[in-house]
Amino acid sequence: MSWEWFNIVGTVAFVVSGAIIAMEEEYDILGVIVLGMATAFGGGIMRNILLGIPLTSFWNQGTLFTIALVTMLIVFILPQKYLRYWDRWGMFFDAVGLSAFAIQGAMYATKMNYPLSATIVAAVLTGIGGGIIRDVLAGRKPLVFKEEIYAMWAMGAGLAVGLKWTTTVNELYGLFMAIVLCRMISVYHGWKLPRRSLRSANVRPLNNRM
């Protein structure tokens, strides 16, 4: 099954996300390119390291590199009024990228006969790894750890593929659409995982107890 179109849409979505954050932080064009590329391809690199896939395979994506570079240059020169549309449609394309990349990562792991745990981790790293790298490079707290449910949907993709609930082409497309739908529903309703804050508990950091 070819995920080429999904990969293209996901790459474009993540590249635009990284480029816009770089411009919000007032990075120059080199910073825009670095942050955009890290967002789009960082998760795949982390997955390859986890699964023992040679990193040289990363460079066999010439078409995606070209698409990513052209996309970043277009975003960089676009008038600001057009970038506002990203606020309206960005979440949807991000959901498409998350779904496509998470399923892709899980399929890599299953093809290499890794256990279920590795399949789930591969799905998560491929789906959200680039966003984490983007936020760290931009000096921000990774949104995936404090905003809407995000990584859980990537875990769901890894679980479904790892347990072979989805094996046919139609089943995989159904899983893809289900993850996109779940992601958008969670954004619309503002679903969040439970959190606990210690800011008001006067808990001293460990390095202050020494």
Side-chain angles (χ1 to χ4, degrees):
M1 177 182 180
S2 174
W3 289 92
E4 193 63 32
W5 285 107
F6 291 144
N7 286 338
I8 291 174
V9 173
T11 298
V12 169
F14 287 170
V15 159
V16 174
S17 170
I20 288 179
I21 287 181
M23 289 188 290
E24 289 176 350
E25 298 294 331
E26 299 183 347
Y27 288 4
D28 60 19
I29 188 170
L30 178 59
V32 171
I33 292 174
V34 169
L35 210 59
M37 296 293 279
T39 307
F41 299 104
I45 293 175
M46 294 171 66
R47 176 203 64 216
N48 289 357
I49 293 174
L50 171 73
L51 300 181
I53 300 174
L55 291 180
T56 52
S57 63
F58 170 74
W59 301 109
N60 298 328
Q61 305 180 85
T63 301
L64 286 180
F65 287 150
T66 302
I67 292 173
L69 183 59
V70 170
T71 300
M72 283 183 286
L73 293 177
I74 292 174
V75 170
F76 189 78
I77 64 176
L78 272 180
Q80 187 172 351
K81 63 179 181 179
Y82 294 113
L83 296 179
R84 294 173 185 168
Y85 287 103
W86 180 253
D87 293 333
R88 182 180 302 175
W89 293 101
M91 282 294 182
F92 172 74
F93 287 110
D94 182 77
V96 170
L98 170 70
S99 182
F101 286 172
I103 294 174
Q104 180 199 61
M107 291 175 66
Y108 264 100
T110 55
K111 287 179 181 178
M112 299 178 69
N113 296 317
Y114 277 98
L116 178 62
S117 57
T119 301
I120 293 174
V121 174
V124 172
L125 287 180
T126 312
I128 74 171
I132 294 175
I133 295 173
R134 173 201 65 203
D135 291 339
V136 171
L137 291 178
R140 301 182 176 189
K141 293 181 180 179
L143 295 178
V144 67
F145 296 138
K146 66 175 186 175
E147 293 298 330
E148 303 93 353
I149 295 176
Y150 193 77
M152 295 295 294
W153 305 129
M155 293 176 65
L159 187 66
V161 173
L163 292 177
K164 302 189 185 305
W165 293 343
T166 53
T167 55
T168 67
V169 171
N170 288 336
E171 288 172 346
L172 287 169
Y173 274 106
L175 176 62
F176 168 80
M177 291 185 289
I179 295 172
V180 173
L181 180 62
C182 288
R183 168 60 181 155
M184 296 309 298
I185 291 174
S186 67
V187 170
Y188 180 79
H189 291 287
W191 292 345
K192 300 178 185 291
L193 293 174
R195 70 174 69 182
R196 181 184 180 188
S197 175
L198 296 178
R199 289 186 177 181
S200 61
N202 294 322
V203 177
R204 292 181 299 165
L206 289 176
N207 59 353
N208 291 337
R209 301 179 190 176
M210 306 301 290

